[in-house]
Amino acid sequence: MSKVERRVRSLVDEDGEMRDALEIVLDRATDGEVQWVDVRDEITSGQWGRLIEKEILVDGERGFALADPDEIEAGMNENDGDDGGDVETPETTSWTKWDKLAAVATIGAFVGYAVGPVRDAIAGAIDIVLGPLLNLVPFYVVIMVIALGTGLYSTLLRAGLMDMEKMSQYQERMKDIQDRRKEAKERDDDEALDAIQEEQMDAMGDQLGMFKEQFRPMVWIMFLTIPAFLWMFWVIGYRGSDSAYPEVAAQELVVPLAGTVTWDTGIVGPIQMWILWYFLCSMAFTQLVQKSLNIQMSPSTS
């Protein structure tokens, strides 16, 4: 059931006279459009206003156009007893074995924050690639390079692995339920409210589906980001651990408000300067990558 058909059914259920008004509008429509002067002698201004309010009539070239004549006629047919919404629940995306392996590896990498040998092993491997950069450019530039890389692949992974169409369907179904619930409250239809309440409880599974859609790319993003973050953790030293590059950790820099600090200075509580700089760079580069590649990161509802 489309939106137009559902809106027509809702109007007809609220007021049986709306069926006659719709038939008149359909009959008077020329090339899919109708003007108020064509129907004002046969329907009331209130009925006309309701058709516009519900977007059954939309702006046209010379007056108002019928949103969808076929769906309007379908909505005028006798209700077959199905009071459900017009949005079906999409199938939940299944994780592949590689997704599951990445999740396990990500959990293992998290251990590196608490277990020194694990951190040293992961960071030592990453140091083979990133370590030489410390001899070429300042540490703040190295962080910018890492932030640019994480922003690029996180954007591409989210765009490639997260099905925006399904996300839109999940959101559209929840919005559809909320709209029908509001309409049922307006007409004091307790029976419809009870049915919608049950449907809303069933739709709680949509929240799990949305979470799975969102978390799948996050697993891969964390799988690639945590080792780089552990390397910076290892270079500077954190929470009592020794710095692998003491000369880098002791470098001084001047920042607004805080003044002269070093990379291991706590800026906001336990958040050290290098962490703050990474997140600022990461947010900026992520937005830059999304705009440059024209990638939409949030689902749109029709």
PDB file of all heavy atoms in Angstrom, residues 262-297:
ATOM      1  N   THR A 262      53.075  19.628  25.816  1.00  0.00           N
ATOM      2  CA  THR A 262      53.715  18.528  25.103  1.00  0.00           C
ATOM      3  C   THR A 262      52.631  17.560  24.656  1.00  0.00           C
ATOM      4  O   THR A 262      51.472  17.671  25.073  1.00  0.00           O
ATOM      5  CB  THR A 262      54.729  17.801  25.998  1.00  0.00           C
ATOM      6  OG1 THR A 262      54.051  17.311  27.171  1.00  0.00           O
ATOM      7  CG2 THR A 262      55.845  18.743  26.435  1.00  0.00           C
ATOM      8  N   TRP A 263      53.010  16.602  23.823  1.00  0.00           N
ATOM      9  CA  TRP A 263      52.011  15.678  23.277  1.00  0.00           C
ATOM     10  C   TRP A 263      51.349  14.817  24.356  1.00  0.00           C
ATOM     11  O   TRP A 263      50.233  14.337  24.172  1.00  0.00           O
ATOM     12  CB  TRP A 263      52.644  14.776  22.218  1.00  0.00           C
ATOM     13  CG  TRP A 263      52.937  15.469  20.939  1.00  0.00           C
ATOM     14  CD1 TRP A 263      54.156  15.739  20.397  1.00  0.00           C
ATOM     15  CD2 TRP A 263      51.979  16.007  20.022  1.00  0.00           C
ATOM     16  NE1 TRP A 263      54.036  16.414  19.208  1.00  0.00           N
ATOM     17  CE2 TRP A 263      52.704  16.589  18.948  1.00  0.00           C
ATOM     18  CE3 TRP A 263      50.598  16.073  19.989  1.00  0.00           C
ATOM     19  CZ2 TRP A 263      52.085  17.208  17.868  1.00  0.00           C
ATOM     20  CZ3 TRP A 263      49.977  16.690  18.913  1.00  0.00           C
ATOM     21  CH2 TRP A 263      50.711  17.246  17.870  1.00  0.00           C
ATOM     22  N   ASP A 264      52.031  14.601  25.487  1.00  0.00           N
ATOM     23  CA  ASP A 264      51.450  13.763  26.545  1.00  0.00           C
ATOM     24  C   ASP A 264      50.777  14.586  27.639  1.00  0.00           C
ATOM     25  O   ASP A 264      50.415  14.057  28.691  1.00  0.00           O
ATOM     26  CB  ASP A 264      52.516  12.843  27.151  1.00  0.00           C
ATOM     27  CG  ASP A 264      53.709  13.619  27.703  1.00  0.00           C
ATOM     28  OD1 ASP A 264      53.706  14.861  27.633  1.00  0.00           O
ATOM     29  OD2 ASP A 264      54.659  12.964  28.189  1.00  0.00           O
ATOM     30  N   THR A 265      50.586  15.888  27.394  1.00  0.00           N
ATOM     31  CA  THR A 265      49.895  16.740  28.368  1.00  0.00           C
ATOM     32  C   THR A 265      48.394  16.453  28.349  1.00  0.00           C
ATOM     33  O   THR A 265      47.779  16.363  27.284  1.00  0.00           O
ATOM     34  CB  THR A 265      50.118  18.235  28.048  1.00  0.00           C
ATOM     35  OG1 THR A 265      51.518  18.514  28.122  1.00  0.00           O
ATOM     36  CG2 THR A 265      49.380  19.111  29.047  1.00  0.00           C
ATOM     37  N   GLY A 266      47.810  16.295  29.523  1.00  0.00           N
ATOM     38  CA  GLY A 266      46.363  16.112  29.603  1.00  0.00           C
ATOM     39  C   GLY A 266      45.649  17.432  29.349  1.00  0.00           C
ATOM     40  O   GLY A 266      45.821  18.383  30.119  1.00  0.00           O
ATOM     41  N   ILE A 267      44.881  17.523  28.293  1.00  0.00           N
ATOM     42  CA  ILE A 267      44.183  18.765  27.944  1.00  0.00           C
ATOM     43  C   ILE A 267      42.811  18.830  28.596  1.00  0.00           C
ATOM     44  O   ILE A 267      42.443  19.806  29.228  1.00  0.00           O
ATOM     45  CB  ILE A 267      44.042  18.891  26.413  1.00  0.00           C
ATOM     46  CG1 ILE A 267      45.429  18.902  25.748  1.00  0.00           C
ATOM     47  CG2 ILE A 267      43.279  20.162  26.051  1.00  0.00           C
ATOM     48  CD1 ILE A 267      46.304  20.072  26.151  1.00  0.00           C
ATOM     49  N   VAL A 268      42.041  17.773  28.428  1.00  0.00           N
ATOM     50  CA  VAL A 268      40.713  17.682  29.043  1.00  0.00           C
ATOM     51  C   VAL A 268      40.686  16.404  29.867  1.00  0.00           C
ATOM     52  O   VAL A 268      40.459  15.307  29.345  1.00  0.00           O
ATOM     53  CB  VAL A 268      39.585  17.665  27.987  1.00  0.00           C
ATOM     54  CG1 VAL A 268      38.222  17.607  28.667  1.00  0.00           C
ATOM     55  CG2 VAL A 268      39.675  18.867  27.073  1.00  0.00           C
ATOM     56  N   GLY A 269      40.949  16.548  31.163  1.00  0.00           N
ATOM     57  CA  GLY A 269      41.036  15.363  32.011  1.00  0.00           C
ATOM     58  C   GLY A 269      42.160  14.452  31.541  1.00  0.00           C
ATOM     59  O   GLY A 269      43.305  14.890  31.337  1.00  0.00           O
ATOM     60  N   PRO A 270      41.849  13.159  31.308  1.00  0.00           N
ATOM     61  CA  PRO A 270      42.884  12.232  30.853  1.00  0.00           C
ATOM     62  C   PRO A 270      43.169  12.292  29.354  1.00  0.00           C
ATOM     63  O   PRO A 270      44.042  11.590  28.856  1.00  0.00           O
ATOM     64  CB  PRO A 270      42.297  10.865  31.232  1.00  0.00           C
ATOM     65  CG  PRO A 270      40.813  11.064  31.112  1.00  0.00           C
ATOM     66  CD  PRO A 270      40.571  12.484  31.562  1.00  0.00           C
ATOM     67  N   ILE A 271      42.425  13.118  28.627  1.00  0.00           N
ATOM     68  CA  ILE A 271      42.598  13.204  27.169  1.00  0.00           C
ATOM     69  C   ILE A 271      43.853  14.008  26.862  1.00  0.00           C
ATOM     70  O   ILE A 271      43.911  15.219  27.087  1.00  0.00           O
ATOM     71  CB  ILE A 271      41.376  13.849  26.499  1.00  0.00           C
ATOM     72  CG1 ILE A 271      40.110  13.024  26.782  1.00  0.00           C
ATOM     73  CG2 ILE A 271      41.585  13.966  24.989  1.00  0.00           C
ATOM     74  CD1 ILE A 271      38.844  13.614  26.205  1.00  0.00           C
ATOM     75  N   GLN A 272      44.860  13.333  26.350  1.00  0.00           N
ATOM     76  CA  GLN A 272      46.125  13.985  26.054  1.00  0.00           C
ATOM     77  C   GLN A 272      46.046  14.769  24.748  1.00  0.00           C
ATOM     78  O   GLN A 272      45.133  14.595  23.942  1.00  0.00           O
ATOM     79  CB  GLN A 272      47.243  12.945  25.984  1.00  0.00           C
ATOM     80  CG  GLN A 272      47.521  12.266  27.324  1.00  0.00           C
ATOM     81  CD  GLN A 272      48.644  11.257  27.241  1.00  0.00           C
ATOM     82  OE1 GLN A 272      49.020  10.802  26.162  1.00  0.00           O
ATOM     83  NE2 GLN A 272      49.187  10.881  28.388  1.00  0.00           N
ATOM     84  N   MET A 273      47.058  15.614  24.547  1.00  0.00           N
ATOM     85  CA  MET A 273      47.066  16.513  23.393  1.00  0.00           C
ATOM     86  C   MET A 273      47.020  15.752  22.082  1.00  0.00           C
ATOM     87  O   MET A 273      46.332  16.159  21.142  1.00  0.00           O
ATOM     88  CB  MET A 273      48.321  17.402  23.459  1.00  0.00           C
ATOM     89  CG  MET A 273      48.394  18.436  22.340  1.00  0.00           C
ATOM     90  SD  MET A 273      46.981  19.566  22.349  1.00  0.00           S
ATOM     91  CE  MET A 273      46.814  19.903  20.591  1.00  0.00           C
ATOM     92  N   TRP A 274      47.718  14.640  21.982  1.00  0.00           N
ATOM     93  CA  TRP A 274      47.754  13.899  20.711  1.00  0.00           C
ATOM     94  C   TRP A 274      46.392  13.314  20.371  1.00  0.00           C
ATOM     95  O   TRP A 274      46.026  13.240  19.193  1.00  0.00           O
ATOM     96  CB  TRP A 274      48.823  12.798  20.756  1.00  0.00           C
ATOM     97  CG  TRP A 274      48.543  11.659  21.690  1.00  0.00           C
ATOM     98  CD1 TRP A 274      48.875  11.568  23.010  1.00  0.00           C
ATOM     99  CD2 TRP A 274      47.866  10.443  21.373  1.00  0.00           C
ATOM    100  NE1 TRP A 274      48.448  10.374  23.541  1.00  0.00           N
ATOM    101  CE2 TRP A 274      47.833   9.654  22.558  1.00  0.00           C
ATOM    102  CE3 TRP A 274      47.290   9.925  20.214  1.00  0.00           C
ATOM    103  CZ2 TRP A 274      47.248   8.390  22.608  1.00  0.00           C
ATOM    104  CZ3 TRP A 274      46.710   8.666  20.267  1.00  0.00           C
ATOM    105  CH2 TRP A 274      46.694   7.907  21.449  1.00  0.00           C
ATOM    106  N   ILE A 275      45.642  12.916  21.389  1.00  0.00           N
ATOM    107  CA  ILE A 275      44.302  12.367  21.147  1.00  0.00           C
ATOM    108  C   ILE A 275      43.370  13.474  20.641  1.00  0.00           C
ATOM    109  O   ILE A 275      42.617  13.285  19.675  1.00  0.00           O
ATOM    110  CB  ILE A 275      43.724  11.732  22.429  1.00  0.00           C
ATOM    111  CG1 ILE A 275      44.620  10.582  22.912  1.00  0.00           C
ATOM    112  CG2 ILE A 275      42.306  11.227  22.200  1.00  0.00           C
ATOM    113  CD1 ILE A 275      44.163   9.968  24.219  1.00  0.00           C
ATOM    114  N   LEU A 276      43.444  14.638  21.288  1.00  0.00           N
ATOM    115  CA  LEU A 276      42.605  15.758  20.875  1.00  0.00           C
ATOM    116  C   LEU A 276      42.919  16.177  19.438  1.00  0.00           C
ATOM    117  O   LEU A 276      42.010  16.402  18.631  1.00  0.00           O
ATOM    118  CB  LEU A 276      42.817  16.937  21.828  1.00  0.00           C
ATOM    119  CG  LEU A 276      42.011  18.205  21.532  1.00  0.00           C
ATOM    120  CD1 LEU A 276      40.511  17.921  21.638  1.00  0.00           C
ATOM    121  CD2 LEU A 276      42.412  19.326  22.483  1.00  0.00           C
ATOM    122  N   TRP A 277      44.217  16.250  19.106  1.00  0.00           N
ATOM    123  CA  TRP A 277      44.616  16.649  17.760  1.00  0.00           C
ATOM    124  C   TRP A 277      44.151  15.636  16.718  1.00  0.00           C
ATOM    125  O   TRP A 277      43.666  15.992  15.638  1.00  0.00           O
ATOM    126  CB  TRP A 277      46.126  16.828  17.704  1.00  0.00           C
ATOM    127  CG  TRP A 277      46.663  17.196  16.349  1.00  0.00           C
ATOM    128  CD1 TRP A 277      47.532  16.475  15.588  1.00  0.00           C
ATOM    129  CD2 TRP A 277      46.379  18.380  15.594  1.00  0.00           C
ATOM    130  NE1 TRP A 277      47.815  17.108  14.407  1.00  0.00           N
ATOM    131  CE2 TRP A 277      47.104  18.296  14.383  1.00  0.00           C
ATOM    132  CE3 TRP A 277      45.579  19.494  15.813  1.00  0.00           C
ATOM    133  CZ2 TRP A 277      47.063  19.280  13.402  1.00  0.00           C
ATOM    134  CZ3 TRP A 277      45.525  20.485  14.849  1.00  0.00           C
ATOM    135  CH2 TRP A 277      46.261  20.368  13.665  1.00  0.00           C
ATOM    136  N   TYR A 278      44.238  14.351  17.059  1.00  0.00           N
ATOM    137  CA  TYR A 278      43.787  13.315  16.126  1.00  0.00           C
ATOM    138  C   TYR A 278      42.297  13.446  15.846  1.00  0.00           C
ATOM    139  O   TYR A 278      41.860  13.390  14.686  1.00  0.00           O
ATOM    140  CB  TYR A 278      44.100  11.921  16.667  1.00  0.00           C
ATOM    141  CG  TYR A 278      43.403  10.829  15.889  1.00  0.00           C
ATOM    142  CD1 TYR A 278      43.896  10.400  14.667  1.00  0.00           C
ATOM    143  CD2 TYR A 278      42.222  10.266  16.356  1.00  0.00           C
ATOM    144  CE1 TYR A 278      43.241   9.422  13.927  1.00  0.00           C
ATOM    145  CE2 TYR A 278      41.556   9.291  15.624  1.00  0.00           C
ATOM    146  CZ  TYR A 278      42.074   8.871  14.419  1.00  0.00           C
ATOM    147  OH  TYR A 278      41.415   7.911  13.688  1.00  0.00           O
ATOM    148  N   PHE A 279      41.488  13.616  16.886  1.00  0.00           N
ATOM    149  CA  PHE A 279      40.040  13.673  16.686  1.00  0.00           C
ATOM    150  C   PHE A 279      39.628  14.933  15.928  1.00  0.00           C
ATOM    151  O   PHE A 279      38.710  14.895  15.095  1.00  0.00           O
ATOM    152  CB  PHE A 279      39.307  13.583  18.024  1.00  0.00           C
ATOM    153  CG  PHE A 279      39.173  12.183  18.537  1.00  0.00           C
ATOM    154  CD1 PHE A 279      39.823  11.772  19.684  1.00  0.00           C
ATOM    155  CD2 PHE A 279      38.401  11.252  17.856  1.00  0.00           C
ATOM    156  CE1 PHE A 279      39.710  10.470  20.145  1.00  0.00           C
ATOM    157  CE2 PHE A 279      38.269   9.947  18.308  1.00  0.00           C
ATOM    158  CZ  PHE A 279      38.935   9.553  19.459  1.00  0.00           C
ATOM    159  N   LEU A 280      40.301  16.053  16.181  1.00  0.00           N
ATOM    160  CA  LEU A 280      39.997  17.262  15.425  1.00  0.00           C
ATOM    161  C   LEU A 280      40.316  17.064  13.941  1.00  0.00           C
ATOM    162  O   LEU A 280      39.521  17.412  13.058  1.00  0.00           O
ATOM    163  CB  LEU A 280      40.791  18.449  15.984  1.00  0.00           C
ATOM    164  CG  LEU A 280      40.359  18.972  17.353  1.00  0.00           C
ATOM    165  CD1 LEU A 280      41.322  20.056  17.831  1.00  0.00           C
ATOM    166  CD2 LEU A 280      38.941  19.525  17.302  1.00  0.00           C
ATOM    167  N   CYS A 281      41.484  16.481  13.653  1.00  0.00           N
ATOM    168  CA  CYS A 281      41.868  16.221  12.264  1.00  0.00           C
ATOM    169  C   CYS A 281      40.941  15.203  11.621  1.00  0.00           C
ATOM    170  O   CYS A 281      40.549  15.348  10.455  1.00  0.00           O
ATOM    171  CB  CYS A 281      43.314  15.728  12.201  1.00  0.00           C
ATOM    172  SG  CYS A 281      44.546  16.962  12.663  1.00  0.00           S
ATOM    173  N   SER A 282      40.583  14.164  12.378  1.00  0.00           N
ATOM    174  CA  SER A 282      39.738  13.111  11.840  1.00  0.00           C
ATOM    175  C   SER A 282      38.367  13.649  11.447  1.00  0.00           C
ATOM    176  O   SER A 282      37.854  13.351  10.364  1.00  0.00           O
ATOM    177  CB  SER A 282      39.586  11.987  12.866  1.00  0.00           C
ATOM    178  OG  SER A 282      38.756  10.960  12.375  1.00  0.00           O
ATOM    179  N   MET A 283      37.758  14.463  12.320  1.00  0.00           N
ATOM    180  CA  MET A 283      36.440  15.025  12.002  1.00  0.00           C
ATOM    181  C   MET A 283      36.512  15.931  10.779  1.00  0.00           C
ATOM    182  O   MET A 283      35.642  15.886   9.907  1.00  0.00           O
ATOM    183  CB  MET A 283      35.896  15.794  13.210  1.00  0.00           C
ATOM    184  CG  MET A 283      35.456  14.909  14.362  1.00  0.00           C
ATOM    185  SD  MET A 283      34.604  15.833  15.676  1.00  0.00           S
ATOM    186  CE  MET A 283      35.964  16.800  16.322  1.00  0.00           C
ATOM    187  N   ALA A 284      37.569  16.756  10.716  1.00  0.00           N
ATOM    188  CA  ALA A 284      37.696  17.684   9.597  1.00  0.00           C
ATOM    189  C   ALA A 284      37.912  16.943   8.281  1.00  0.00           C
ATOM    190  O   ALA A 284      37.258  17.233   7.269  1.00  0.00           O
ATOM    191  CB  ALA A 284      38.853  18.648   9.854  1.00  0.00           C
ATOM    192  N   PHE A 285      38.811  15.951   8.267  1.00  0.00           N
ATOM    193  CA  PHE A 285      39.109  15.234   7.032  1.00  0.00           C
ATOM    194  C   PHE A 285      37.943  14.349   6.608  1.00  0.00           C
ATOM    195  O   PHE A 285      37.706  14.165   5.404  1.00  0.00           O
ATOM    196  CB  PHE A 285      40.382  14.399   7.195  1.00  0.00           C
ATOM    197  CG  PHE A 285      41.647  15.204   7.127  1.00  0.00           C
ATOM    198  CD1 PHE A 285      42.628  15.062   8.086  1.00  0.00           C
ATOM    199  CD2 PHE A 285      41.859  16.108   6.110  1.00  0.00           C
ATOM    200  CE1 PHE A 285      43.800  15.806   8.034  1.00  0.00           C
ATOM    201  CE2 PHE A 285      43.027  16.865   6.039  1.00  0.00           C
ATOM    202  CZ  PHE A 285      44.000  16.711   7.005  1.00  0.00           C
ATOM    203  N   THR A 286      37.222  13.782   7.563  1.00  0.00           N
ATOM    204  CA  THR A 286      36.067  12.955   7.220  1.00  0.00           C
ATOM    205  C   THR A 286      35.013  13.786   6.492  1.00  0.00           C
ATOM    206  O   THR A 286      34.458  13.364   5.472  1.00  0.00           O
ATOM    207  CB  THR A 286      35.455  12.319   8.480  1.00  0.00           C
ATOM    208  OG1 THR A 286      36.429  11.460   9.095  1.00  0.00           O
ATOM    209  CG2 THR A 286      34.225  11.490   8.129  1.00  0.00           C
ATOM    210  N   GLN A 287      34.741  14.997   7.009  1.00  0.00           N
ATOM    211  CA  GLN A 287      33.785  15.880   6.342  1.00  0.00           C
ATOM    212  C   GLN A 287      34.287  16.289   4.963  1.00  0.00           C
ATOM    213  O   GLN A 287      33.510  16.343   4.000  1.00  0.00           O
ATOM    214  CB  GLN A 287      33.554  17.132   7.198  1.00  0.00           C
ATOM    215  CG  GLN A 287      32.792  16.878   8.483  1.00  0.00           C
ATOM    216  CD  GLN A 287      31.391  16.361   8.239  1.00  0.00           C
ATOM    217  OE1 GLN A 287      30.678  16.861   7.370  1.00  0.00           O
ATOM    218  NE2 GLN A 287      30.968  15.351   8.983  1.00  0.00           N
ATOM    219  N   LEU A 288      35.589  16.545   4.866  1.00  0.00           N
ATOM    220  CA  LEU A 288      36.172  16.946   3.585  1.00  0.00           C
ATOM    221  C   LEU A 288      36.057  15.824   2.554  1.00  0.00           C
ATOM    222  O   LEU A 288      35.702  16.059   1.388  1.00  0.00           O
ATOM    223  CB  LEU A 288      37.650  17.331   3.777  1.00  0.00           C
ATOM    224  CG  LEU A 288      38.409  17.790   2.527  1.00  0.00           C
ATOM    225  CD1 LEU A 288      37.768  19.050   1.958  1.00  0.00           C
ATOM    226  CD2 LEU A 288      39.875  18.023   2.858  1.00  0.00           C
ATOM    227  N   VAL A 289      36.320  14.584   2.976  1.00  0.00           N
ATOM    228  CA  VAL A 289      36.232  13.439   2.072  1.00  0.00           C
ATOM    229  C   VAL A 289      34.794  13.226   1.610  1.00  0.00           C
ATOM    230  O   VAL A 289      34.528  12.991   0.431  1.00  0.00           O
ATOM    231  CB  VAL A 289      36.777  12.167   2.753  1.00  0.00           C
ATOM    232  CG1 VAL A 289      36.450  10.927   1.928  1.00  0.00           C
ATOM    233  CG2 VAL A 289      38.286  12.271   2.943  1.00  0.00           C
ATOM    234  N   GLN A 290      33.848  13.322   2.549  1.00  0.00           N
ATOM    235  CA  GLN A 290      32.441  13.122   2.193  1.00  0.00           C
ATOM    236  C   GLN A 290      31.962  14.171   1.193  1.00  0.00           C
ATOM    237  O   GLN A 290      31.259  13.848   0.236  1.00  0.00           O
ATOM    238  CB  GLN A 290      31.581  13.173   3.458  1.00  0.00           C
ATOM    239  CG  GLN A 290      31.771  11.982   4.382  1.00  0.00           C
ATOM    240  CD  GLN A 290      30.958  12.107   5.653  1.00  0.00           C
ATOM    241  OE1 GLN A 290      30.092  12.970   5.772  1.00  0.00           O
ATOM    242  NE2 GLN A 290      31.236  11.256   6.621  1.00  0.00           N
ATOM    243  N   LYS A 291      32.350  15.411   1.417  1.00  0.00           N
ATOM    244  CA  LYS A 291      31.943  16.477   0.488  1.00  0.00           C
ATOM    245  C   LYS A 291      32.635  16.308  -0.864  1.00  0.00           C
ATOM    246  O   LYS A 291      32.011  16.509  -1.917  1.00  0.00           O
ATOM    247  CB  LYS A 291      32.292  17.841   1.088  1.00  0.00           C
ATOM    248  CG  LYS A 291      31.542  18.189   2.363  1.00  0.00           C
ATOM    249  CD  LYS A 291      30.046  18.345   2.111  1.00  0.00           C
ATOM    250  CE  LYS A 291      29.339  18.799   3.381  1.00  0.00           C
ATOM    251  NZ  LYS A 291      27.863  18.913   3.179  1.00  0.00           N
ATOM    252  N   SER A 292      33.923  15.947  -0.840  1.00  0.00           N
ATOM    253  CA  SER A 292      34.674  15.822  -2.091  1.00  0.00           C
ATOM    254  C   SER A 292      34.140  14.685  -2.952  1.00  0.00           C
ATOM    255  O   SER A 292      34.044  14.808  -4.173  1.00  0.00           O
ATOM    256  CB  SER A 292      36.160  15.597  -1.787  1.00  0.00           C
ATOM    257  OG  SER A 292      36.695  16.674  -1.054  1.00  0.00           O
ATOM    258  N   LEU A 293      33.779  13.566  -2.299  1.00  0.00           N
ATOM    259  CA  LEU A 293      33.292  12.403  -3.036  1.00  0.00           C
ATOM    260  C   LEU A 293      31.768  12.414  -3.189  1.00  0.00           C
ATOM    261  O   LEU A 293      31.204  11.513  -3.808  1.00  0.00           O
ATOM    262  CB  LEU A 293      33.727  11.114  -2.330  1.00  0.00           C
ATOM    263  CG  LEU A 293      35.230  10.897  -2.190  1.00  0.00           C
ATOM    264  CD1 LEU A 293      35.527   9.592  -1.466  1.00  0.00           C
ATOM    265  CD2 LEU A 293      35.918  10.902  -3.561  1.00  0.00           C
ATOM    266  N   ASN A 294      31.130  13.444  -2.588  1.00  0.00           N
ATOM    267  CA  ASN A 294      29.661  13.570  -2.668  1.00  0.00           C
ATOM    268  C   ASN A 294      28.968  12.290  -2.185  1.00  0.00           C
ATOM    269  O   ASN A 294      28.088  11.739  -2.852  1.00  0.00           O
ATOM    270  CB  ASN A 294      29.222  13.902  -4.104  1.00  0.00           C
ATOM    271  CG  ASN A 294      27.786  14.371  -4.165  1.00  0.00           C
ATOM    272  OD1 ASN A 294      27.263  14.913  -3.186  1.00  0.00           O
ATOM    273  ND2 ASN A 294      27.130  14.150  -5.286  1.00  0.00           N
ATOM    274  N   ILE A 295      29.383  11.834  -1.012  1.00  0.00           N
ATOM    275  CA  ILE A 295      28.827  10.623  -0.424  1.00  0.00           C
ATOM    276  C   ILE A 295      27.908  11.019   0.711  1.00  0.00           C
ATOM    277  O   ILE A 295      28.297  11.748   1.632  1.00  0.00           O
ATOM    278  CB  ILE A 295      29.931   9.692   0.090  1.00  0.00           C
ATOM    279  CG1 ILE A 295      30.776   9.189  -1.088  1.00  0.00           C
ATOM    280  CG2 ILE A 295      29.339   8.506   0.855  1.00  0.00           C
ATOM    281  CD1 ILE A 295      31.948   8.315  -0.673  1.00  0.00           C
ATOM    282  N   GLN A 296      26.657  10.543   0.667  1.00  0.00           N
ATOM    283  CA  GLN A 296      25.664  10.821   1.683  1.00  0.00           C
ATOM    284  C   GLN A 296      25.764   9.759   2.767  1.00  0.00           C
ATOM    285  O   GLN A 296      25.620   8.565   2.499  1.00  0.00           O
ATOM    286  CB  GLN A 296      24.255  10.835   1.081  1.00  0.00           C
ATOM    287  CG  GLN A 296      23.144  11.090   2.077  1.00  0.00           C
ATOM    288  CD  GLN A 296      23.172  12.506   2.624  1.00  0.00           C
ATOM    289  OE1 GLN A 296      23.559  13.432   1.917  1.00  0.00           O
ATOM    290  NE2 GLN A 296      22.765  12.684   3.862  1.00  0.00           N
ATOM    291  N   MET A 297      25.998  10.203   4.011  1.00  0.00           N
ATOM    292  CA  MET A 297      26.199   9.259   5.095  1.00  0.00           C
ATOM    293  C   MET A 297      24.940   9.019   5.937  1.00  0.00           C
ATOM    294  O   MET A 297      24.943   8.190   6.836  1.00  0.00           O
ATOM    295  CB  MET A 297      27.316   9.768   6.030  1.00  0.00           C
ATOM    296  CG  MET A 297      28.706   9.624   5.447  1.00  0.00           C
ATOM    297  SD  MET A 297      29.255   7.895   5.319  1.00  0.00           S
ATOM    298  CE  MET A 297      28.920   7.547   3.597  1.00  0.00           C
TER     299      MET A 297
END
